[in-house]
mmCIF file of all heavy atoms in Angstrom:
data_model
loop_
_atom_site.group_PDB
_atom_site.id
_atom_site.type_symbol
_atom_site.label_atom_id
_atom_site.label_comp_id
_atom_site.label_asym_id
_atom_site.label_seq_id
_atom_site.Cartn_x
_atom_site.Cartn_y
_atom_site.Cartn_z
ATOM 1 N N MET A 54 -15.936 58.491 83.606
ATOM 2 C CA MET A 54 -15.836 57.199 84.433
ATOM 3 C C MET A 54 -14.912 56.177 83.873
ATOM 4 O O MET A 54 -14.894 56.034 82.692
ATOM 5 C CB MET A 54 -17.283 56.569 84.578
ATOM 6 C CG MET A 54 -17.440 55.635 85.660
ATOM 7 S SD MET A 54 -18.085 56.580 87.126
ATOM 8 C CE MET A 54 -17.741 55.304 88.312
ATOM 9 N N GLU A 55 -14.108 55.614 84.807
ATOM 10 C CA GLU A 55 -13.146 54.736 84.399
ATOM 11 C C GLU A 55 -13.348 53.269 85.056
ATOM 12 O O GLU A 55 -13.888 53.325 86.191
ATOM 13 C CB GLU A 55 -11.704 55.056 84.732
ATOM 14 C CG GLU A 55 -11.019 55.996 83.826
ATOM 15 C CD GLU A 55 -9.609 56.253 84.063
ATOM 16 O OE1 GLU A 55 -9.239 56.234 85.230
ATOM 17 O OE2 GLU A 55 -8.834 56.558 83.260
ATOM 18 N N ALA A 56 -13.063 52.265 84.333
ATOM 19 C CA ALA A 56 -13.211 50.859 84.912
ATOM 20 C C ALA A 56 -12.079 50.132 84.387
ATOM 21 O O ALA A 56 -11.548 50.300 83.332
ATOM 22 C CB ALA A 56 -14.575 50.315 84.731
ATOM 23 N N TYR A 57 -11.812 48.957 85.038
ATOM 24 C CA TYR A 57 -10.848 48.050 84.538
ATOM 25 C C TYR A 57 -11.319 47.221 83.439
ATOM 26 O O TYR A 57 -12.286 46.479 83.691
ATOM 27 C CB TYR A 57 -10.285 47.216 85.780
ATOM 28 C CG TYR A 57 -9.096 46.381 85.393
ATOM 29 C CD1 TYR A 57 -7.814 46.901 85.444
ATOM 30 C CD2 TYR A 57 -9.254 45.035 84.987
ATOM 31 C CE1 TYR A 57 -6.664 46.101 85.015
ATOM 32 C CE2 TYR A 57 -8.112 44.240 84.579
ATOM 33 C CZ TYR A 57 -6.874 44.785 84.681
ATOM 34 O OH TYR A 57 -5.759 43.886 84.348
ATOM 35 N N CYS A 58 -10.659 47.166 82.337
ATOM 36 C CA CYS A 58 -11.069 46.259 81.195
ATOM 37 C C CYS A 58 -10.251 44.910 81.215
ATOM 38 O O CYS A 58 -9.022 45.012 81.262
ATOM 39 C CB CYS A 58 -10.825 47.059 79.854
ATOM 40 S SG CYS A 58 -11.246 45.921 78.372
ATOM 41 N N MET A 59 -10.980 43.769 81.251
ATOM 42 C CA MET A 59 -10.337 42.540 81.316
ATOM 43 C C MET A 59 -9.566 42.238 80.107
ATOM 44 O O MET A 59 -8.458 41.586 80.091
ATOM 45 C CB MET A 59 -11.276 41.405 81.567
ATOM 46 C CG MET A 59 -12.083 41.631 82.894
ATOM 47 S SD MET A 59 -11.078 41.415 84.412
ATOM 48 C CE MET A 59 -11.442 39.712 84.691
ATOM 49 N N LYS A 60 -9.993 42.711 78.890
ATOM 50 C CA LYS A 60 -9.395 42.471 77.654
ATOM 51 C C LYS A 60 -8.093 43.397 77.461
ATOM 52 O O LYS A 60 -7.104 42.801 76.974
ATOM 53 C CB LYS A 60 -10.442 42.652 76.544
ATOM 54 C CG LYS A 60 -10.072 41.982 75.224
ATOM 55 C CD LYS A 60 -11.195 41.920 74.220
ATOM 56 C CE LYS A 60 -10.829 41.220 72.982
ATOM 57 N NZ LYS A 60 -11.887 41.305 72.111
ATOM 58 N N CYS A 61 -8.292 44.624 77.703
ATOM 59 C CA CYS A 61 -7.138 45.465 77.492
ATOM 60 C C CYS A 61 -6.203 45.333 78.673
ATOM 61 O O CYS A 61 -5.022 45.824 78.573
ATOM 62 C CB CYS A 61 -7.618 46.979 77.440
ATOM 63 S SG CYS A 61 -8.849 47.292 76.138
ATOM 64 N N LYS A 62 -6.545 44.748 79.823
ATOM 65 C CA LYS A 62 -5.784 44.569 81.068
ATOM 66 C C LYS A 62 -5.267 45.902 81.439
ATOM 67 O O LYS A 62 -4.193 46.118 82.109
ATOM 68 C CB LYS A 62 -4.628 43.611 80.773
ATOM 69 C CG LYS A 62 -4.987 42.271 80.498
ATOM 70 C CD LYS A 62 -3.872 41.349 80.319
ATOM 71 C CE LYS A 62 -4.186 39.816 80.314
ATOM 72 N NZ LYS A 62 -4.789 39.491 78.982
ATOM 73 N N THR A 63 -6.199 46.995 81.402
ATOM 74 C CA THR A 63 -5.859 48.242 81.993
ATOM 75 C C THR A 63 -7.144 48.952 82.158
ATOM 76 O O THR A 63 -8.212 48.534 81.817
ATOM 77 C CB THR A 63 -4.958 48.968 81.091
ATOM 78 O OG1 THR A 63 -4.497 50.189 81.767
ATOM 79 C CG2 THR A 63 -5.567 49.451 79.758
ATOM 80 N N LYS A 64 -7.087 50.179 82.956
ATOM 81 C CA LYS A 64 -8.238 50.925 83.057
ATOM 82 C C LYS A 64 -8.595 51.767 81.844
ATOM 83 O O LYS A 64 -7.685 52.223 81.164
ATOM 84 C CB LYS A 64 -7.974 51.978 84.124
ATOM 85 C CG LYS A 64 -8.198 51.372 85.493
ATOM 86 C CD LYS A 64 -8.091 52.428 86.694
ATOM 87 C CE LYS A 64 -8.475 51.852 87.938
ATOM 88 N NZ LYS A 64 -8.495 52.808 89.046
ATOM 89 N N ARG A 65 -9.883 51.638 81.514
ATOM 90 C CA ARG A 65 -10.369 52.431 80.331
ATOM 91 C C ARG A 65 -11.517 53.279 80.539
ATOM 92 O O ARG A 65 -12.244 53.120 81.683
ATOM 93 C CB ARG A 65 -10.829 51.442 79.240
ATOM 94 C CG ARG A 65 -9.640 50.579 78.688
ATOM 95 C CD ARG A 65 -8.754 51.283 77.932
ATOM 96 N NE ARG A 65 -7.891 50.462 77.064
ATOM 97 C CZ ARG A 65 -6.672 50.858 76.484
ATOM 98 N NH1 ARG A 65 -6.286 52.046 76.697
ATOM 99 N NH2 ARG A 65 -6.024 50.098 75.811
ATOM 100 N N GLU A 66 -11.693 54.343 79.774
ATOM 101 C CA GLU A 66 -12.927 55.106 79.949
ATOM 102 C C GLU A 66 -14.158 54.135 79.418
ATOM 103 O O GLU A 66 -13.914 53.336 78.806
ATOM 104 C CB GLU A 66 -12.918 56.271 78.829
ATOM 105 C CG GLU A 66 -12.316 57.597 79.448
ATOM 106 C CD GLU A 66 -13.035 58.090 80.693
ATOM 107 O OE1 GLU A 66 -14.254 58.268 80.542
ATOM 108 O OE2 GLU A 66 -12.486 58.357 81.748
ATOM 109 N N VAL A 67 -15.233 54.401 80.121
ATOM 110 C CA VAL A 67 -16.438 53.592 79.959
ATOM 111 C C VAL A 67 -17.502 54.307 79.059
ATOM 112 O O VAL A 67 -17.745 55.398 79.361
ATOM 113 C CB VAL A 67 -17.001 53.149 81.288
ATOM 114 C CG1 VAL A 67 -18.287 52.378 81.117
ATOM 115 C CG2 VAL A 67 -16.057 52.367 82.145
ATOM 116 N N ASN A 68 -17.971 53.508 78.127
ATOM 117 C CA ASN A 68 -19.129 54.001 77.243
ATOM 118 C C ASN A 68 -20.348 53.721 77.904
ATOM 119 O O ASN A 68 -20.645 52.581 78.427
ATOM 120 C CB ASN A 68 -18.975 53.330 75.928
ATOM 121 C CG ASN A 68 -18.629 54.102 74.805
ATOM 122 O OD1 ASN A 68 -18.582 55.420 74.904
ATOM 123 N ND2 ASN A 68 -18.212 53.528 73.720
ATOM 124 N N ASN A 69 -21.296 54.653 77.841
ATOM 125 C CA ASN A 69 -22.612 54.423 78.337
ATOM 126 C C ASN A 69 -22.767 53.883 79.809
ATOM 127 O O ASN A 69 -23.259 52.888 80.066
ATOM 128 C CB ASN A 69 -23.548 53.426 77.468
ATOM 129 C CG ASN A 69 -23.627 53.939 76.028
ATOM 130 O OD1 ASN A 69 -23.730 55.036 75.743
ATOM 131 N ND2 ASN A 69 -23.323 52.916 75.106
ATOM 132 N N PRO A 70 -22.034 54.543 80.717
ATOM 133 C CA PRO A 70 -22.012 53.961 82.116
ATOM 134 C C PRO A 70 -23.374 53.960 82.692
ATOM 135 O O PRO A 70 -24.159 54.996 82.413
ATOM 136 C CB PRO A 70 -21.035 54.983 82.902
ATOM 137 C CG PRO A 70 -20.954 56.173 82.060
ATOM 138 C CD PRO A 70 -21.267 55.748 80.554
ATOM 139 N N GLU A 71 -23.814 52.984 83.318
ATOM 140 C CA GLU A 71 -25.065 52.758 83.930
ATOM 141 C C GLU A 71 -25.027 52.308 85.414
ATOM 142 O O GLU A 71 -24.373 51.153 85.464
ATOM 143 C CB GLU A 71 -25.840 51.783 82.957
ATOM 144 C CG GLU A 71 -27.373 51.848 83.299
ATOM 145 C CD GLU A 71 -28.015 50.982 82.213
ATOM 146 O OE1 GLU A 71 -28.169 51.381 81.037
ATOM 147 O OE2 GLU A 71 -28.380 49.822 82.675
ATOM 148 N N GLU A 72 -25.490 53.031 86.359
ATOM 149 C CA GLU A 72 -25.354 52.451 87.722
ATOM 150 C C GLU A 72 -26.440 51.553 87.990
ATOM 151 O O GLU A 72 -27.699 51.799 87.571
ATOM 152 C CB GLU A 72 -25.490 53.662 88.634
ATOM 153 C CG GLU A 72 -24.841 53.337 89.975
ATOM 154 C CD GLU A 72 -24.867 54.463 91.064
ATOM 155 O OE1 GLU A 72 -24.524 55.626 90.597
ATOM 156 O OE2 GLU A 72 -25.358 54.235 92.092
ATOM 157 N N THR A 73 -26.276 50.377 88.639
ATOM 158 C CA THR A 73 -27.224 49.481 88.978
ATOM 159 C C THR A 73 -26.894 48.911 90.344
ATOM 160 O O THR A 73 -25.810 48.938 90.869
ATOM 161 C CB THR A 73 -27.384 48.471 87.911
ATOM 162 O OG1 THR A 73 -28.451 47.553 88.197
ATOM 163 C CG2 THR A 73 -26.233 47.590 87.649
ATOM 164 N N VAL A 74 -27.885 48.184 90.921
ATOM 165 C CA VAL A 74 -27.732 47.496 92.198
ATOM 166 C C VAL A 74 -27.937 45.948 92.094
ATOM 167 O O VAL A 74 -29.006 45.634 91.392
ATOM 168 C CB VAL A 74 -28.687 48.113 93.252
ATOM 169 C CG1 VAL A 74 -28.409 47.287 94.641
ATOM 170 C CG2 VAL A 74 -28.390 49.611 93.400
ATOM 171 N N THR A 75 -26.950 45.245 92.578
ATOM 172 C CA THR A 75 -27.109 43.759 92.369
ATOM 173 C C THR A 75 -28.127 43.231 93.518
ATOM 174 O O THR A 75 -28.584 43.923 94.326
ATOM 175 C CB THR A 75 -25.789 43.020 92.621
ATOM 176 O OG1 THR A 75 -25.447 43.172 93.975
ATOM 177 C CG2 THR A 75 -24.725 43.599 91.611
ATOM 178 N N GLU A 76 -28.507 41.992 93.365
ATOM 179 C CA GLU A 76 -29.426 41.312 94.376
ATOM 180 C C GLU A 76 -28.729 41.284 95.788
ATOM 181 O O GLU A 76 -29.421 41.123 96.764
ATOM 182 C CB GLU A 76 -29.797 39.906 93.933
ATOM 183 C CG GLU A 76 -28.696 38.846 93.646
ATOM 184 C CD GLU A 76 -28.039 38.899 92.395
ATOM 185 O OE1 GLU A 76 -28.175 39.921 91.606
ATOM 186 O OE2 GLU A 76 -27.367 37.837 92.068
ATOM 187 N N LYS A 77 -27.456 41.421 95.734
ATOM 188 C CA LYS A 77 -26.726 41.446 97.131
ATOM 189 C C LYS A 77 -26.521 42.790 97.613
ATOM 190 O O LYS A 77 -25.783 43.150 98.505
ATOM 191 C CB LYS A 77 -25.318 40.735 96.967
ATOM 192 C CG LYS A 77 -25.427 39.310 96.858
ATOM 193 C CD LYS A 77 -24.075 38.622 96.810
ATOM 194 C CE LYS A 77 -24.331 37.059 96.776
ATOM 195 N NZ LYS A 77 -23.090 36.409 96.502
ATOM 196 N N ARG A 78 -27.229 43.819 96.860
ATOM 197 C CA ARG A 78 -27.306 45.173 97.284
ATOM 198 C C ARG A 78 -25.874 45.815 97.135
ATOM 199 O O ARG A 78 -25.464 46.582 98.006
ATOM 200 C CB ARG A 78 -27.956 45.423 98.645
ATOM 201 C CG ARG A 78 -29.164 44.780 98.855
ATOM 202 C CD ARG A 78 -30.149 45.375 99.725
ATOM 203 N NE ARG A 78 -30.301 46.814 99.516
ATOM 204 C CZ ARG A 78 -31.119 47.391 98.442
ATOM 205 N NH1 ARG A 78 -31.788 46.644 97.644
ATOM 206 N NH2 ARG A 78 -31.323 48.678 98.328
ATOM 207 N N ILE A 79 -25.111 45.530 96.179
ATOM 208 C CA ILE A 79 -23.914 46.204 95.851
ATOM 209 C C ILE A 79 -24.178 47.047 94.583
ATOM 210 O O ILE A 79 -24.643 46.635 93.720
ATOM 211 C CB ILE A 79 -22.773 45.074 95.500
ATOM 212 C CG1 ILE A 79 -22.689 44.029 96.574
ATOM 213 C CG2 ILE A 79 -21.390 45.788 95.223
ATOM 214 C CD1 ILE A 79 -22.107 44.501 97.964
ATOM 215 N N ARG A 80 -23.707 48.331 94.763
ATOM 216 C CA ARG A 80 -23.867 49.270 93.688
ATOM 217 C C ARG A 80 -22.792 49.041 92.609
ATOM 218 O O ARG A 80 -21.567 48.991 93.064
ATOM 219 C CB ARG A 80 -23.866 50.700 94.193
ATOM 220 C CG ARG A 80 -25.122 51.154 94.886
ATOM 221 C CD ARG A 80 -24.917 52.416 95.614
ATOM 222 N NE ARG A 80 -24.476 53.531 94.693
ATOM 223 C CZ ARG A 80 -23.296 54.134 94.985
ATOM 224 N NH1 ARG A 80 -22.740 54.044 96.036
ATOM 225 N NH2 ARG A 80 -23.032 55.140 94.238
ATOM 226 N N ILE A 81 -23.033 48.775 91.379
ATOM 227 C CA ILE A 81 -22.053 48.685 90.433
ATOM 228 C C ILE A 81 -22.390 49.679 89.220
ATOM 229 O O ILE A 81 -23.499 50.040 89.138
ATOM 230 C CB ILE A 81 -21.865 47.213 89.915
ATOM 231 C CG1 ILE A 81 -23.228 46.742 89.243
ATOM 232 C CG2 ILE A 81 -21.476 46.312 91.042
ATOM 233 C CD1 ILE A 81 -23.045 45.403 88.544
ATOM 234 N N MET A 82 -21.307 49.842 88.470
ATOM 235 C CA MET A 82 -21.443 50.735 87.227
ATOM 236 C C MET A 82 -21.062 49.751 86.052
ATOM 237 O O MET A 82 -20.046 49.304 86.162
ATOM 238 C CB MET A 82 -20.469 51.913 87.417
ATOM 239 C CG MET A 82 -20.776 53.025 86.365
ATOM 240 S SD MET A 82 -19.984 52.693 84.845
ATOM 241 C CE MET A 82 -18.234 52.634 85.345
ATOM 242 N N LYS A 83 -22.055 49.760 85.186
ATOM 243 C CA LYS A 83 -21.808 48.807 84.085
ATOM 244 C C LYS A 83 -21.715 49.663 82.777
ATOM 245 O O LYS A 83 -22.343 50.691 82.622
ATOM 246 C CB LYS A 83 -23.005 47.818 83.847
ATOM 247 C CG LYS A 83 -22.957 46.769 84.900
ATOM 248 C CD LYS A 83 -23.776 45.503 84.489
ATOM 249 C CE LYS A 83 -25.284 45.828 84.677
ATOM 250 N NZ LYS A 83 -26.064 44.553 84.416
ATOM 251 N N GLY A 84 -20.938 49.154 81.909
ATOM 252 C CA GLY A 84 -20.709 49.856 80.616
ATOM 253 C C GLY A 84 -19.871 49.110 79.710
ATOM 254 O O GLY A 84 -19.660 47.926 79.897
ATOM 255 N N THR A 85 -19.373 49.699 78.613
ATOM 256 C CA THR A 85 -18.520 48.971 77.636
ATOM 257 C C THR A 85 -17.173 49.807 77.607
ATOM 258 O O THR A 85 -17.233 51.077 77.594
ATOM 259 C CB THR A 85 -19.194 48.854 76.210
ATOM 260 O OG1 THR A 85 -19.614 50.072 75.854
ATOM 261 C CG2 THR A 85 -20.350 47.867 76.332
ATOM 262 N N CYS A 86 -16.147 49.105 77.241
ATOM 263 C CA CYS A 86 -14.808 49.708 77.051
ATOM 264 C C CYS A 86 -14.847 50.623 75.717
ATOM 265 O O CYS A 86 -15.342 50.180 74.731
ATOM 266 C CB CYS A 86 -13.704 48.625 76.983
ATOM 267 S SG CYS A 86 -12.129 49.204 76.499
ATOM 268 N N THR A 87 -14.353 51.752 75.875
ATOM 269 C CA THR A 87 -14.327 52.730 74.699
ATOM 270 C C THR A 87 -13.382 52.217 73.641
ATOM 271 O O THR A 87 -13.402 52.590 72.469
ATOM 272 C CB THR A 87 -13.935 54.036 75.102
ATOM 273 O OG1 THR A 87 -12.689 54.076 75.771
ATOM 274 C CG2 THR A 87 -15.086 54.846 75.797
ATOM 275 N N VAL A 88 -12.327 51.382 73.993
ATOM 276 C CA VAL A 88 -11.335 50.882 73.017
ATOM 277 C C VAL A 88 -11.688 49.591 72.400
ATOM 278 O O VAL A 88 -11.676 49.478 71.091
ATOM 279 C CB VAL A 88 -9.976 50.770 73.767
ATOM 280 C CG1 VAL A 88 -8.857 50.193 72.802
ATOM 281 C CG2 VAL A 88 -9.632 52.132 74.362
ATOM 282 N N CYS A 89 -12.138 48.493 73.156
ATOM 283 C CA CYS A 89 -12.415 47.242 72.592
ATOM 284 C C CYS A 89 -13.790 46.785 72.538
ATOM 285 O O CYS A 89 -14.244 45.863 71.927
ATOM 286 C CB CYS A 89 -11.515 46.133 73.197
ATOM 287 S SG CYS A 89 -11.984 45.845 74.955
ATOM 288 N N GLY A 90 -14.693 47.560 73.342
ATOM 289 C CA GLY A 90 -16.143 47.352 73.304
ATOM 290 C C GLY A 90 -16.546 46.203 74.359
ATOM 291 O O GLY A 90 -17.672 45.834 74.355
ATOM 292 N N THR A 91 -15.527 45.683 75.044
ATOM 293 C CA THR A 91 -15.911 44.665 76.015
ATOM 294 C C THR A 91 -16.730 45.267 77.171
ATOM 295 O O THR A 91 -16.438 46.460 77.476
ATOM 296 C CB THR A 91 -14.608 44.031 76.592
ATOM 297 O OG1 THR A 91 -13.804 43.390 75.490
ATOM 298 C CG2 THR A 91 -14.832 42.977 77.642
ATOM 299 N N LYS A 92 -17.570 44.417 77.712
ATOM 300 C CA LYS A 92 -18.428 44.922 78.925
ATOM 301 C C LYS A 92 -17.481 44.991 80.043
ATOM 302 O O LYS A 92 -16.682 44.066 80.372
ATOM 303 C CB LYS A 92 -19.525 43.912 79.167
ATOM 304 C CG LYS A 92 -20.698 44.146 78.226
ATOM 305 C CD LYS A 92 -21.857 43.187 78.612
ATOM 306 C CE LYS A 92 -22.945 43.219 77.476
ATOM 307 N NZ LYS A 92 -23.973 42.148 77.715
ATOM 308 N N VAL A 93 -17.571 46.110 80.727
ATOM 309 C CA VAL A 93 -16.879 46.271 81.927
ATOM 310 C C VAL A 93 -17.826 46.724 83.035
ATOM 311 O O VAL A 93 -18.839 47.260 82.953
ATOM 312 C CB VAL A 93 -15.763 47.343 81.806
ATOM 313 C CG1 VAL A 93 -14.655 46.950 80.826
ATOM 314 C CG2 VAL A 93 -16.303 48.735 81.449
ATOM 315 N N ALA A 94 -17.354 46.372 84.294
ATOM 316 C CA ALA A 94 -18.194 46.782 85.572
ATOM 317 C C ALA A 94 -17.288 47.243 86.580
ATOM 318 O O ALA A 94 -16.086 46.795 86.706
ATOM 319 C CB ALA A 94 -19.026 45.530 85.911
ATOM 320 N N LYS A 95 -17.781 48.117 87.384
ATOM 321 C CA LYS A 95 -16.897 48.582 88.478
ATOM 322 C C LYS A 95 -17.773 48.619 89.743
ATOM 323 O O LYS A 95 -18.967 49.107 89.749
ATOM 324 C CB LYS A 95 -16.480 50.132 88.163
ATOM 325 C CG LYS A 95 -15.561 50.730 89.126
ATOM 326 C CD LYS A 95 -15.258 52.067 88.833
ATOM 327 C CE LYS A 95 -14.184 52.663 89.779
ATOM 328 N NZ LYS A 95 -13.788 54.049 89.363
ATOM 329 N N ILE A 96 -17.264 48.071 90.900
ATOM 330 C CA ILE A 96 -17.977 48.143 92.057
ATOM 331 C C ILE A 96 -17.862 49.453 92.765
ATOM 332 O O ILE A 96 -16.800 50.041 93.042
ATOM 333 C CB ILE A 96 -17.485 47.039 92.996
ATOM 334 C CG1 ILE A 96 -17.750 45.650 92.406
ATOM 335 C CG2 ILE A 96 -18.055 47.109 94.422
ATOM 336 C CD1 ILE A 96 -17.061 44.402 93.052
ATOM 337 N N LEU A 97 -19.014 50.123 93.114
ATOM 338 C CA LEU A 97 -19.037 51.470 93.695
ATOM 339 C C LEU A 97 -19.122 51.287 95.221
ATOM 340 O O LEU A 97 -18.733 52.242 96.029
ATOM 341 C CB LEU A 97 -20.179 52.216 93.158
ATOM 342 C CG LEU A 97 -20.210 52.377 91.685
ATOM 343 C CD1 LEU A 97 -21.478 53.175 91.213
ATOM 344 C CD2 LEU A 97 -18.896 53.262 91.083
ATOM 345 N N GLY A 98 -19.687 50.273 95.717
ATOM 346 C CA GLY A 98 -19.912 50.125 97.080
ATOM 347 C C GLY A 98 -21.239 49.559 97.545
ATOM 348 O O GLY A 98 -22.102 49.220 96.594
ATOM 349 N N LYS A 99 -21.466 49.350 98.854
ATOM 350 C CA LYS A 99 -22.733 48.905 99.246
ATOM 351 C C LYS A 99 -23.833 49.874 99.051
ATOM 352 O O LYS A 99 -23.687 51.072 99.442
ATOM 353 C CB LYS A 99 -22.650 48.480 100.781
ATOM 354 C CG LYS A 99 -22.217 47.022 100.921
ATOM 355 C CD LYS A 99 -22.349 46.678 102.416
ATOM 356 C CE LYS A 99 -22.095 45.182 102.608
ATOM 357 N NZ LYS A 99 -22.385 44.880 104.002
ATOM 358 N N ALA A 100 -24.985 49.369 98.739
ATOM 359 C CA ALA A 100 -26.206 50.260 98.582
ATOM 360 C C ALA A 100 -26.805 50.395 99.909
ATOM 361 O O ALA A 100 -26.715 49.515 100.817
ATOM 362 C CB ALA A 100 -27.201 49.682 97.689
ATOM 363 N N LYS A 101 -27.398 51.447 100.148
ATOM 364 C CA LYS A 101 -27.987 51.736 101.481
ATOM 365 C C LYS A 101 -29.366 50.983 101.533
ATOM 366 O O LYS A 101 -30.075 50.878 100.545
ATOM 367 C CB LYS A 101 -28.300 53.207 101.656
ATOM 368 C CG LYS A 101 -27.128 54.108 102.076
ATOM 369 C CD LYS A 101 -27.435 55.593 102.149
ATOM 370 C CE LYS A 101 -26.248 56.381 102.384
ATOM 371 N NZ LYS A 101 -26.456 57.816 102.242
ATOM 372 N N GLN A 102 -29.717 50.500 102.724
ATOM 373 C CA GLN A 102 -30.961 49.753 102.870
ATOM 374 C C GLN A 102 -32.096 50.788 102.793
ATOM 375 O O GLN A 102 -31.939 51.945 103.479
ATOM 376 C CB GLN A 102 -30.986 49.150 104.180
ATOM 377 C CG GLN A 102 -30.077 47.876 104.312
ATOM 378 C CD GLN A 102 -30.527 46.661 103.538
ATOM 379 O OE1 GLN A 102 -31.641 46.565 103.153
ATOM 380 N NE2 GLN A 102 -29.634 45.798 103.444
ATOM 381 N N ILE A 103 -33.077 50.530 102.197
ATOM 382 C CA ILE A 103 -34.290 51.378 102.110
ATOM 383 C C ILE A 103 -35.164 51.037 103.228
ATOM 384 O O ILE A 103 -35.690 49.922 103.333
ATOM 385 C CB ILE A 103 -35.010 51.328 100.694
ATOM 386 C CG1 ILE A 103 -33.959 51.752 99.605
ATOM 387 C CG2 ILE A 103 -36.137 52.329 100.699
ATOM 388 C CD1 ILE A 103 -34.361 51.273 98.276
HETATM 389 ZN ZN1 ZN B 283 -10.967 47.200 76.575
#
């Protein structure tokens, strides 16, 4: 899984990717940059209503 790292200013592989849903029902993937260790997040899209 790749996400944009703000510190490296480029896309990086993500350590320990974890999918979660925000209170606004947006699915995101959270993890840390494999190079610098900064937290990164990637928006996957809207979550389906249950
Ligand atoms: Zn980084």
